[in-house]
Amino acid sequence: MPNTISGFSKLSKTEKIEWLLDTYFTDKDSARNLVQRYWNSDEKLQKLHDEFIENTITNYYLPLGVAPNFLINETFYTIPMAIEESSVIAAASKAAKFWLERGGFKAEVLSTEKIGQVHFIYKGDYGKLEAFFNHVKPKLISETASMTKSMERRGGGILNIELRNKSQDLPNYYQLHATFETLDAMGANFINSCLEQFATTFKTEAEQFEHFNAEEKNISMVMSILSNYVPQCLVRAEVSCEVEELKSKDIPNPEAFVNKFKQAVTIAEVEPYRAVTHNKGIMNGIDAVVLATGNDFRAVEAGVHAYAAKDGQYSSLTHCSVDNGIFKFWIEIPLALGTVGGLTNLHPLVKFSLEMLQKPTAKDLMKIVAVAGLAQNFGALKSLTTTGIQEGHMKMHLMNILNQFEATEDEKAKLIEHFKTTVVTHSAVVEEIGKLRA
Ligand code: MEV
């Protein structure tokens, strides 16, 4: 079998790279050179990154930018964002400034409960299973004592364990559905360790439960894992002001602006095709902060989108009202985040980002992330319902086009000046570069 290899993970980094070069690349020298150019010259730092994952060959850079001037519950923040999309930070910064002049953002954490489940198959009488669960529940808790001790000392731990009968959905399928408070930790390792211990205790005790017959004693534990759907780990962020206060250079007629803005939100509430793009724009802000602060953006994405579909149809995560001359725009989302543990203690830029955010608690970070999502959505809707999105997008994209054409610093300066007053399109930029170089 060409292009397959066994024992790859045991090769040294250099050997791995050489295998890749031999197998896939024609110009091996330039491919090797590229991979090596992205190594960090600080060997200790490079080793740290090498050891985050298996089979590291080099680093993959994303820009880390900042959006200043966020006023959240009377505290000023400069928000770190790791993202490649050119217009995201500009839009966030613009929205921050806009709301800074109108009272800033208000945010509150509504709940902080995390969830984990042990999925199992039991063939037998449900009444007996319930009796067994009640009998074993104190032991499920006591046998995790060594894991929960330090979390409990800080005020967290296991909140509850329930037996759930899912046999209507799948024959003989049941769950231990557990809830947790993990404080400033995202809590994945804590929750998964507790769940695996629940499963062991449950299985062992079932084998000895005197009221079970032989088949009932033979419970099959399928898997133990946290859920990334956390509808009880919720944060809400909001902006509001009098409609008249929205008047600005971009919004000459606030009344007309709010009407269209509200229509845009309502369309995303009722129309899934639009809701997905609307929420994608929100995630532009959310993912960028989640990534910069060393959190798991895949977990956040999965949980947020499930929440957007919680009423049976995928819908907008933001909402808008205009009542008695007051414009209100808000977001409510589930966010399981950590500011201790995981990458937060390891990645130097994550530590830097958290320090910039004034060492937030997990609850503080939930508010900051929700605000970043709301600001991003405000910026997108404001553009979409007024000038259209391309004007701003293409302005920000200009630098990417110039880089594609390997423009010199002098050419860049001249073309940026030129496009301050001219519409940016790919062909217009190509034409101008051509003229400059002619
Ligand atoms: C682009 O990354 C995000 C937008 O499409 C979001 C939106 O349409 O609301 C501009």
Side-chain angles (χ1 to χ4, degrees), residues 85 87-88 274 276-282 284 376-377 380-381 384 389 393:
E85 190 173 327
S87 53
V88 169
R274 173 55 202 153
V276 170
T277 316
H278 177 98
N279 290 347
K280 186 274 181 189
I282 294 171
N284 278 344
Q376 208 67 48
N377 190 223
L381 294 181
L384 285 168
I389 207 76
H393 255 225

Side-chain angles (χ1 to χ4, degrees), residues 383-401:
S383 298
L384 285 168
T385 57
T386 55
T387 56
I389 207 76
Q390 280 311 87
E391 185 184 293
H393 255 225
M394 291 308 287
K395 278 233 149 69
M396 296 309 303
H397 192 55
L398 173 60
M399 193 56 84
N400 288 344
I401 307 176

